[in-house]
Amino acid sequence: MSNIRVRFAPSPTGDLHIGGVRTALFNWLFARNKGGEFILRIEDTDEARSTEESVKVILDAMKWLELKWGEGPGNECLKYAPYYQMKRKEQGIYQKYADELVIKRLAYHCYCTPEEVDEMRKEAQANKLPPKYDGRCSHLTSEQKKQKETDGRKAVIRFKMPDLGITVLNDLIRRRVEFDNSLLDDFVIMKASGVPTYNFACVVDDYLMEITHVLRGDDHISNTPRQMHIYNALGWKMPEFAHMAMILGHDGARLSKRHGHTSVLEYRKEGYLQEALINYLALLGWSTEDSQQIFTIEELEQKFSIERCGTSPSIFDPVKLLWLNGEKIRSKAPEQVYELFIDWLKYTNNEKLIENWDIDLLKKAIVLEHDKIKLLKDIPSLVDFFFAKDIEYKEEAVQKTLLSEKSKDSAKFVLTESVVRLANQQDFSSAALEQYARALAAEKNIKTGQVFHPIRVAISGRTQGPSLFHMMEVMGKNEVVRRINVTINKFFKTV
């Protein structure tokens, strides 16, 4: 295939959500795999809900995800611009083709009020007929139209649908899909305000922008027969259609806030990596023959194909996403993790968290805790004890390891011995420190845990953390001795 052109066309009525990003990603991957062009178009014809702030959120999310568009806002091609529908509306693009359909008697002006249309549908339902507009305005004479206008009624333009037969969609994912034309009503293509509706505007734009493939969620599949009839009415070649299965929550309901974050940038705030989210979303509705789970971006570009997209809904699993994020973090060098962490702090305005921290020590601490980091936001809670002047002791750790009847005597002995011996320890490498601790246990005929655990709690305040002896090496002799002294004075000082 040559000259492949696909588009992602979000409506700026809120945040960019997971389903929208999956649509953008599949379009982007398809274009990259085929050597085609990926276009970003803003469908802002919802006058009441579209906002500039939502446009900014969409663009920011796309930039963070690195789904770079070849054409679109900020990167316009004069042949196809503008890439905002309301700007295209101002140029009269949609009105031109709506008028053409009216002249051909394939569309007509309708003066019915929303209340009247609603009443028609209720009456049809009561008579066990399809609940649709009955087409009464398609038969108005010129005099009747003038009278409607004199009465102050404003007209929409409706597209005239065939009453009989079927419309057949040959979908790239779902194969043959049939629609009964008798169930489809004459739908509005231009509002009374002169703003085009979705079904009309996207057809005009896709044609004029020479879109070859329309890849979108299957919640749009019911729109497709209407759009196909517009293509035929205007004598235009249709793009290929591919409708991707929905993403559902664990309970089988449509994805919503109760299933976790739906807004993409919330995942950025949580400390997810862009590549982890991309990798995970690629697995929602698509797979390789060998069921590969972890991909680089380059591998996704190379292996993606529409033929491998499924027709069954995908279940969004936050646990798997978190696992995958941890895998991506572990695959990076600690220095890269540090840089990503700093970027996250800046993005979330949390730079004050580390304003008094020693950066070299932070980098060393990240090395120690590298394997435990699942989210970038985990890092402060994993390493903050390295930078605390006053140790924050966990109550459970103190009671179990230092003060219980079983442990207090050996803990006091180990700490009072260690504060002296470690001060004189020449080699403060992790290997030498481990040798020291094991030798002390052997000397006093106690278990190694009776040496390791009190020292850990004394210098960190907790029972969990990085490798004890690596932690001591990174902390340094003076700080380790100081902390053990503080612990002795706090819990074992004889009054």
Side-chain angles (χ1 to χ4, degrees):
M1 290 184 280
S2 60
N3 300 320
I4 297 293
R5 290 175 61 81
V6 296
R7 48 74 167 177
F8 174 54
S11 178
T13 56
D15 293 338
L16 183 56
H17 290 170
I18 287 297
V21 174
R22 198 274 304 264
T23 297
L25 174 63
F26 280 25
N27 276 278
W28 186 83
L29 289 174
F30 182 74
R32 301 283 286 191
N33 179 267
K34 302 296 184 184
E37 198 71 71
F38 175 66
I39 295 104
L40 178 61
R41 184 174 74 224
I42 304 298
E43 297 194 338
D44 54 352
T45 54
D46 188 331
E47 301 157 279
R49 297 168 59 217
S50 293
T51 66
E52 284 297 320
E53 179 58 29
S54 291
V55 172
K56 183 179 183 304
V57 167
I58 289 168
L59 299 183
D60 286 349
M62 293 287 286
K63 289 173 184 175
W64 173 59
L65 294 167
E66 297 182 13
L67 297 178
K68 298 177 182 177
W69 52 96
E71 295 173 23
N75 191 25
E76 300 203 350
C77 171
L78 291 178
K79 179 179 179 182
Y80 304 111
Y83 293 86
Y84 290 80
Q85 285 187 330
M86 288 304 285
K87 291 181 180 179
R88 297 173 69 78
K89 177 255 180 188
E90 290 167 7
Q91 295 181 358
I93 291 173
Y94 308 112
Q95 193 65 53
K96 170 186 173 182
Y97 294 105
D99 291 343
E100 180 180 330
L101 290 171
V102 171
I103 290 170
K104 291 179 176 179
R105 297 190 177 184
L106 297 173
Y108 57 90
H109 292 92
C110 170
Y111 297 88
C112 296
T113 66
E115 294 75 18
E116 288 171 337
V117 174
D118 189 48
E119 191 58 38
M120 287 176 215
R121 288 177 173 152
K122 287 179 180 177
E123 186 178 335
Q125 278 185 310
N127 293 322
K128 297 184 179 180
L129 296 171
K132 62 181 190 176
Y133 176 70
D134 63 12
R136 64 183 62 177
C137 284
S138 63
H139 308 297
L140 293 178
T141 64
S142 298
E143 290 73 20
Q144 288 172 319
K145 290 178 185 178
K146 286 180 182 178
Q147 184 59 53
K148 297 278 188 186
E149 291 165 5
T150 301
D151 293 342
R153 295 212 178 198
K154 293 187 177 180
V156 300
I157 298 178
R158 288 184 180 274
F159 183 83
K160 191 170 181 57
M161 289 288 287
D163 295 323
L164 304 173
I166 60 171
T167 300
V168 177
L169 166 66
N170 291 308
D171 192 89
L172 293 175
I173 296 174
R174 299 181 172 276
R175 308 307 177 211
R176 182 182 174 93
V177 184
E178 296 184 357
F179 303 91
D180 185 344
N181 291 336
S182 67
L183 301 177
L184 304 174
D185 60 358
D186 295 353
F187 60 98
V188 176
I189 59 173
M190 294 290 285
K191 303 173 191 176
S193 62
V195 174
T197 60
Y198 164 75
N199 277 316
F200 187 56
C202 75
V203 168
V204 172
D205 289 342
D206 285 347
Y207 172 74
L208 295 179
M209 292 182 178
E210 300 184 44
I211 301 301
T212 60
H213 295 75
V214 173
L215 282 58
R216 57 191 179 188
D218 64 6
D219 53 328
H220 283 288
I221 201 163
S222 61
N223 291 317
T224 309
R226 297 175 174 86
Q227 295 170 12
M228 292 172 70
H229 281 288
I230 293 172
Y231 276 106
N232 290 331
L234 290 168
W236 293 344
K237 181 182 178 181
M238 264 179 256
E240 298 265 18
F241 289 98
H243 290 88
M244 298 168 282
M246 294 288 287
I247 302 174
L248 304 178
H250 58 83
D251 55 359
R254 286 190 65 164
L255 201 61
S256 66
K257 288 184 179 179
R258 72 175 181 273
H259 301 113
H261 300 306
T262 53
S263 171
V264 172
L265 291 179
E266 286 298 318
Y267 287 93
R268 186 178 186 185
K269 290 177 184 176
E270 285 288 296
Y272 284 89
L273 304 190
Q274 125 330 294
E275 61 201 86
L277 192 57
I278 289 290
N279 189 155
Y280 181 66
L281 290 178
L283 300 173
L284 297 181
W286 172 80
S287 63
T288 56
E289 287 187 17
D290 59 358
S291 299
Q292 181 177 342
Q293 297 295 297
I294 299 177
F295 296 84
T296 63
I297 298 298
E298 292 73 23
E299 285 176 321
L300 286 173
E301 291 176 22
Q302 179 186 358
K303 297 185 177 185
F304 181 81
S305 68
I306 287 294
E307 291 75 22
R308 294 292 305 173
C309 289
T311 57
S312 299
S314 302
I315 304 299
F316 186 84
D317 182 358
V319 174
K320 184 173 181 179
L321 173 58
L322 183 62
W323 165 79
L324 187 54
N325 202 66
E327 291 293 313
K328 292 289 184 179
I329 288 175
R330 282 187 284 279
S331 73
K332 295 187 177 299
E335 182 67 29
Q336 291 176 293
V337 177
Y338 166 77
E339 296 294 342
L340 288 166
F341 175 56
I342 297 302
D343 288 343
W344 176 81
L345 288 174
K346 291 176 181 177
Y347 177 72
T348 56
N349 294 316
N350 277 315
E351 291 170 279
K352 285 188 176 181
L353 275 175
I354 66 164
E355 63 182 352
N356 296 317
W357 291 10
D358 179 280
I359 296 304
D360 288 336
L361 180 56
L362 172 58
K363 290 180 178 180
K364 291 175 182 177
I366 287 175
V367 171
L368 294 184
E369 292 289 59
H370 189 185
D371 288 347
K372 295 179 185 173
I373 302 169
K374 293 182 179 179
L375 297 167
L376 295 175
K377 75 170 186 178
D378 294 342
I379 293 175
S381 63
L382 288 170
V383 305
D384 56 0
F385 68 88
F386 278 100
F387 309 95
K389 289 184 179 179
D390 299 320
I391 305 167
E392 183 181 328
Y393 297 94
K394 303 292 184 184
E395 182 66 22
E396 184 182 352
V398 170
Q399 294 301 325
K400 180 180 179 181
T401 308
L402 302 183
L403 300 183
S404 72
E405 287 298 321
K406 184 178 179 181
S407 65
K408 64 181 180 181
D409 290 338
S410 62
K412 180 179 180 180
F413 166 76
V414 166
L415 295 182
T416 53
E417 283 291 310
S418 294
V419 79
V420 175
R421 297 191 190 193
L422 289 176
N424 296 315
Q425 177 88 8
Q426 294 300 309
D427 185 352
F428 219 73
S429 67
S430 60
L433 290 168
E434 182 174 0
Q435 186 178 11
Y436 154 76
R438 292 186 182 281
L440 180 60
E443 178 187 330
K444 301 302 178 182
N445 195 29
I446 58 177
K447 295 179 180 179
T448 54
Q450 290 176 283
V451 177
F452 296 177
H453 299 327
I455 294 176
R456 176 182 291 281
V457 174
I459 67 175
S460 71
R462 54 185 78 174
T463 56
Q464 302 294 321
S467 161
L468 173 61
F469 306 110
H470 287 94
M471 177 170 67
M472 293 171 70
E473 178 183 339
V474 166
M475 205 172 276
K477 181 198 293 187
N478 292 341
E479 184 64 9
V480 167
V481 171
R482 183 189 77 81
R483 291 185 179 212
I484 294 176
N485 251 323
V486 168
T487 303
I488 292 171
N489 288 331
K490 184 175 179 68
F491 298 108
F492 300 110
K493 189 71 174 177
T494 303
V495 180

